[in-house]
Amino acid sequence: MPAIEIKNLKKSYGEIKAVDGIDLLVEENEVFGILGPNGAGKTTTLEMIETLRRPDSGNISVLGLNPVKKPSEVKEILGVQLQTTVFFDDLSVKETVNLFRSFYKKSLETQGLLELVDLRDKSEAKVTDLSGGQHKRLSIALAVVNDPEIIFLDEPTTGLDPQARRMIWEIISRFRDQGKTVVVTTHYIEEAEYLCDRVAVMDLGKIIVTGSPEELIDRYAPENIITFKLEHDLDIDLISSLAGVTEARVHNSAYTVYTSSPEKTMLSILQTAENRHLAVFEINLKKATLEDVFLKITGKSIRQ
Amino acid sequence: MRSFKTLFIANMKMILRDKQAIFWMFLFPVILMLILGSVFGSSGEAHLDIGVVDLDGSPVTEKIVEALGEIEAFAVHEGEEQEILEKLSDGELSTVLVLQKGFFESLEVGKPGEATIYMDKSNITTSQVAASTLTQIMDEFAGQFVNAPEMINISQEAVQTDDWRYVDFIVPGIIAMTLMMAGMFGLNMEVVKYREKGILRRIKVSPLPLSRFLGSGIFVSLVFALIQTILLLIVGFLAFKININGNYFNIAFVVILGTMSFLALGFLVASVSHSLKTAEMLTNAITMPMMFLAGVFFPLQILPTALVIIAKCLPLYYFGHALREVMVGGASLISVWVDLVVLAGMGTACFLASIKFFRWD
């Protein structure tokens, strides 16, 4: 049985179609990412699965249960971290975990939970004294107090520094090792590429494409990318005609070149410049990312 | 049930750790009571309207009326019996003294003179203040006339209370006001905060029913309401020796009913407010007039008629009145049924309305 199965799910707010007929299949024991810019409909989708919002139409099945018809059963097997993570001001970390544990029929031990998210030495601290990363980690601990089958994390690392982000990634990897299913929304490309077994790319309420990050890059952006600047501008058509180039763009004297044979293209760029006695600055070669996949499909950047 | 107990403990801890809440719930009312009690308590009773009907028209009775007029605490109104009694039932007067026909003749033949004191049943508290003072004055007056102290026979509807003073009046008033404040600036504001911060949504994705979450909060509020009442009664007793004549069950009943009623009003404010700021402004707009106009600090009798009408439109008036009658007047719950019905009615209406307007986010 799939962990989550969604068919033709729709939700509108007035005129705005927040979720516009999506299909989704999340397998058990995978980390599934929903990637997209702000306002793509990621959070609304999650909230409908989590029983927070009622779909206008369509079908949701969470391990065979319908969240609209059996919300209490679904809530017992789901673990949810919402985007805003604020708790009761005057309680300590331990007290907060104990309080949330009491909401569920079965729950994990407080000490074990705090260990899982590396907050053991903070158990007596007031929640208001936690740092941003610790705060997020506490909210992840609260999401798994009931030892859920499926864990939802809505932008778990937004606003965190790289080190705090790494720690959260590590925690999420532990969930996978424990056999849990994790659904994570993000607008960070690296996060999706690092964490997710599969991702669904969402934009304007629709799922554009689903697959593993490698698959998507191979399929939609197989080329490598060379970026560089020149002393004086050259005709873009000349650049486009160089060996291996599939597409070339220039913006403020910065060139972006997509190529299927990076070595050849790199060499011909340097030769062309040499022949014209032009200096080349900041030349870089990189592999395409999900960002480029998004750019290719939608024609716009994932972060606006 | 485990969650109810855990929530109960968590709620208790949160209130006890919130220094501001502790100040407003406990320290502020105690300070207010001490200030009002010591400033006004010593200067005697507030000015009261007394009706006097002299049916005898003898020199002695005239002298009694004259003597009453000289007492500063009283504003004496004379007139026909029917007219004066009507004023009493309209609430314009708190007590009426009727010197019966044959008062002087009885004294002359060595019998007690007949007099009747009518009290306002719906406002026993202030009436008692007046009646006990009247009785005392009449006794003194009789003493000057003849040797026997029982020369004047006063019949009155007695709720036996000695020594009524201003502090007896304000202590229940301050308790009512404090419980109103706790009801309207307590749990409901927390709910607005929880909603703003997204805690309500976080609870909604857990299997815990909202009713249990709020139920435990209401239970904690009631426990604190009783603690506040006990504390203020103890302070009132230690500092001013106030009279507590009511039975404790009745007092607790009125305290709980009143607190629930104002909690419901608070919830309604929370449900219709979009932000904490709006909720606070709205609550201030509701509680401020009640503090000053609902007759919790001063008897309605000293206010102009227009303000009396306003006061009787304010729910706090009924809470204060019921609490005072039951606590100090020793009245039964049945005798304050109007107050109880008003409080229960407001509570139920606000509760239903707040469910209708409730929002998770």
Side-chain angles (χ1 to χ4, degrees):
Chain A
M1 195 189 340
I4 298 166
E5 195 172 1
I6 290 176
K7 290 218 175 84
N8 199 22
L9 187 66
K10 287 184 183 173
K11 177 79 188 177
S12 305
Y13 303 118
E15 292 289 288
I16 303 155
K17 289 176 177 168
V19 174
D20 192 9
I22 62 167
D23 296 313
L24 200 63
L25 194 81
V26 179
E27 299 293 345
E28 273 189 273
N29 194 20
E30 71 173 343
V31 177
F32 190 89
I34 302 179
L35 180 69
N38 290 329
K42 301 176 303 233
T43 300
T44 304
T45 305
L46 246 56
E47 286 178 343
M48 285 190 277
I49 308 171
E50 293 160 357
T51 74
L52 273 180
R53 290 187 197 281
R54 225 190 148 82
D56 293 342
S57 64
N59 242 321
I60 306 173
S61 156
V62 179
L63 288 171
L65 295 169
N66 183 336
V68 179
K69 291 187 185 130
K70 299 198 161 172
S72 355
E73 279 96 332
V74 170
K75 286 170 182 179
E76 290 283 354
I77 55 166
L78 288 192
V80 177
Q81 182 215 29
L82 298 174
Q83 231 178 80
T84 46
T85 54
V86 190
F87 314 110
F88 305 97
D89 285 347
D90 290 303
L91 293 183
S92 72
V93 169
K94 197 167 111 190
E95 287 165 346
T96 305
V97 174
N98 283 333
L99 182 59
F100 276 79
R101 284 179 56 198
S102 77
F103 298 172
Y104 294 87
K105 283 195 193 117
K106 67 166 185 178
S107 66
L108 299 170
E109 286 301 312
T110 305
Q111 280 307 318
L113 282 163
L114 292 179
E115 215 153 292
L116 183 76
V117 296
D118 297 310
L119 280 178
R120 205 172 172 171
D121 51 336
K122 287 281 171 192
S123 73
E124 301 298 329
K126 269 179 119 188
V127 292
T128 39
D129 296 334
L130 296 182
S131 72
Q134 291 167 339
H135 220 256
K136 289 270 187 194
R137 267 144 55 203
L138 174 57
S139 78
I140 291 175
L142 298 183
V144 297
V145 282
N146 56 331
D147 195 17
E149 301 299 327
I150 306 171
I151 303 160
F152 289 92
L153 306 171
D154 199 356
E155 309 217 343
T157 63
T158 299
L160 298 186
D161 59 65
Q163 198 196 344
R165 187 173 298 167
R166 286 259 156 209
M167 269 184 107
I168 296 214
W169 290 357
E170 211 171 287
I171 294 166
I172 296 174
S173 304
R174 282 179 213 163
F175 293 150
R176 179 180 14 216
D177 298 342
Q178 290 172 357
K180 309 280 182 201
T181 306
V182 181
V183 178
V184 52
T185 69
T186 183
H187 56 258
Y188 293 120
I189 305 296
E190 321 84 87
E191 186 158 291
E193 285 178 358
Y194 180 89
L195 273 180
C196 300
D197 300 310
R198 290 194 307 134
V199 297
V201 180
M202 249 188 124
D203 190 36
L204 302 173
K206 289 187 191 291
I207 289 182
I208 310 167
V209 64
T210 312
S212 75
E214 299 78 20
E215 260 170 40
L216 294 180
I217 291 165
D218 283 351
R219 191 172 351 145
Y220 293 96
E223 309 99 328
N224 287 280
I225 298 159
I226 300 168
T227 56
F228 59 92
K229 287 181 179 171
L230 289 176
E231 204 178 343
H232 301 295
D233 284 351
L234 272 180
D235 186 14
I236 193 72
D237 290 338
L238 176 69
I239 304 285
S240 300
S241 68
L242 295 176
V245 173
T246 55
E247 194 187 336
R249 275 185 271 144
V250 61
H251 182 67
N252 287 343
S253 302
Y255 294 81
T256 308
V257 172
Y258 294 84
T259 170
S260 46
S261 49
E263 300 82 2
K264 278 188 190 163
T265 308
M266 182 81 89
L267 192 63
S268 54
I269 288 169
L270 292 173
Q271 277 173 347
T272 310
E274 174 110 351
N275 292 346
R276 288 167 174 72
H277 306 289
L278 289 175
V280 183
F281 310 107
E282 297 170 32
I283 188 157
N284 261 309
L285 173 69
K286 62 176 178 118
K287 258 193 81 71
T289 64
L290 283 174
E291 168 97 65
D292 302 292
V293 172
F294 191 80
L295 190 68
K296 282 267 172 142
I297 302 173
T298 67
K300 60 184 185 189
S301 167
I302 203 162
R303 346 165 191 248
Q304 44 289 108
Chain B
M1 267 307 68
R2 183 166 72 105
S3 60
F4 193 90
K5 191 181 144 206
T6 315
L7 270 168
F8 174 78
I9 294 169
N11 272 314
M12 291 294 264
K13 281 181 182 166
M14 283 191 270
I15 293 179
L16 292 173
R17 288 174 190 173
D18 183 350
K19 293 192 186 72
Q20 229 179 320
I22 295 300
F23 174 80
W24 288 109
M25 288 172 76
F26 296 107
L27 223 52
F28 176 72
V30 166
I31 293 169
L32 188 67
M33 185 188 287
L34 291 177
I35 291 174
L36 284 178
S38 39
V39 171
F40 296 105
S42 51
S43 70
E45 300 81 19
H47 152 103
L48 294 168
D49 289 295
I50 306 287
V52 178
V53 182
D54 181 2
L55 294 176
D56 197 31
S58 61
V60 180
T61 51
E62 274 169 18
K63 259 198 174 156
I64 293 176
V65 175
E66 202 178 303
L68 288 176
E70 281 165 14
I71 295 168
E72 259 181 53
F74 288 158
V76 174
H77 303 259
E78 277 184 85
E80 295 297 317
E81 186 174 18
Q82 201 184 342
E83 170 203 355
I84 290 285
L85 286 179
E86 259 171 34
K87 280 189 180 172
L88 177 69
S89 54
D90 288 347
E92 288 176 40
L93 301 173
S94 34
T95 309
V96 169
L97 172 70
V98 178
L99 298 161
Q100 300 294 357
K101 198 158 180 59
F103 187 93
F104 180 55
E105 281 172 18
S106 300
L107 283 182
E108 275 190 325
V109 297
K111 283 186 192 165
E114 293 291 334
T116 313
I117 288 177
Y118 291 91
M119 289 188 288
D120 179 359
K121 242 185 178 175
S122 70
N123 208 335
I124 295 174
T125 314
T126 24
S127 291
Q128 286 256 322
V129 176
S132 67
T133 318
L134 270 180
T135 314
Q136 209 180 327
I137 291 162
M138 295 282 283
D139 282 346
E140 277 173 26
F141 204 80
Q144 295 172 8
F145 257 81
V146 269
N147 305 331
E150 283 173 25
M151 271 292 101
I152 296 169
N153 189 5
I154 297 171
S155 49
Q156 59 165 291
E157 281 186 48
V159 177
Q160 221 32 67
T161 314
D162 30 14
D163 196 20
W164 274 82
R165 297 165 310 148
Y166 179 66
V167 284
D168 294 330
F169 184 89
I170 57 152
V171 170
I174 288 181
I175 292 175
M177 184 209 74
T178 308
L179 297 180
M180 168 186 79
M181 290 303 207
M184 298 198 62
F185 280 102
L187 184 59
N188 64 326
M189 292 297 169
E190 292 303 312
V191 169
V192 177
K193 264 188 243 169
Y194 294 165
R195 186 173 62 208
E196 270 192 351
K197 290 173 163 186
I199 293 179
L200 284 189
R201 283 158 52 78
R202 181 61 189 80
I203 285 167
K204 200 186 176 189
V205 295
S206 82
L208 180 80
L210 182 73
S211 56
R212 198 173 309 160
F213 180 71
L214 293 182
S216 118
I218 291 169
F219 188 65
V220 171
S221 303
L222 294 179
V223 169
F224 272 100
L226 290 173
I227 297 173
Q228 284 173 294
T229 308
I230 292 166
L231 174 81
L232 290 171
L233 283 178
I234 290 173
V235 172
F237 180 75
L238 292 181
F240 306 114
K241 299 252 177 324
I242 56 152
N243 294 300
I244 304 166
N245 300 302
N247 101 25
Y248 292 109
F249 170 77
N250 288 353
I251 296 175
F253 182 86
V254 175
V255 163
I256 288 173
L257 178 67
T259 305
M260 286 184 59
S261 186
F262 280 102
L263 276 171
L265 181 60
F267 272 125
L268 180 58
V269 170
S271 285
V272 299
S273 305
H274 288 266
S275 69
L276 189 60
K277 262 200 175 148
T278 333
E280 278 172 349
M281 270 165 53
L282 209 54
T283 307
N284 275 321
I286 294 171
T287 52
M288 281 299 162
M290 283 210 257
M291 267 179 80
F292 297 111
L293 298 176
V296 290
F297 296 142
F298 300 100
L300 289 188
Q301 279 73 9
I302 67 166
L303 297 174
T305 324
L307 287 182
V308 173
I309 294 166
I310 292 174
K312 293 201 170 173
C313 297
L314 302 172
L316 182 61
Y317 164 78
Y318 297 93
F319 191 17
H321 185 257
L323 211 50
R324 190 176 304 124
E325 295 305 316
V326 168
M327 203 176 264
V328 190
S332 66
L333 292 178
I334 293 161
S335 66
V336 292
W337 69 272
V338 177
D339 304 312
L340 302 186
V341 166
V342 169
L343 291 174
M346 177 182 82
T348 313
C350 290
F351 180 68
L352 293 177
S354 62
I355 289 177
K356 187 172 153 43
F357 292 117
F358 183 80
R359 287 171 302 121
W360 289 94
D361 47 25

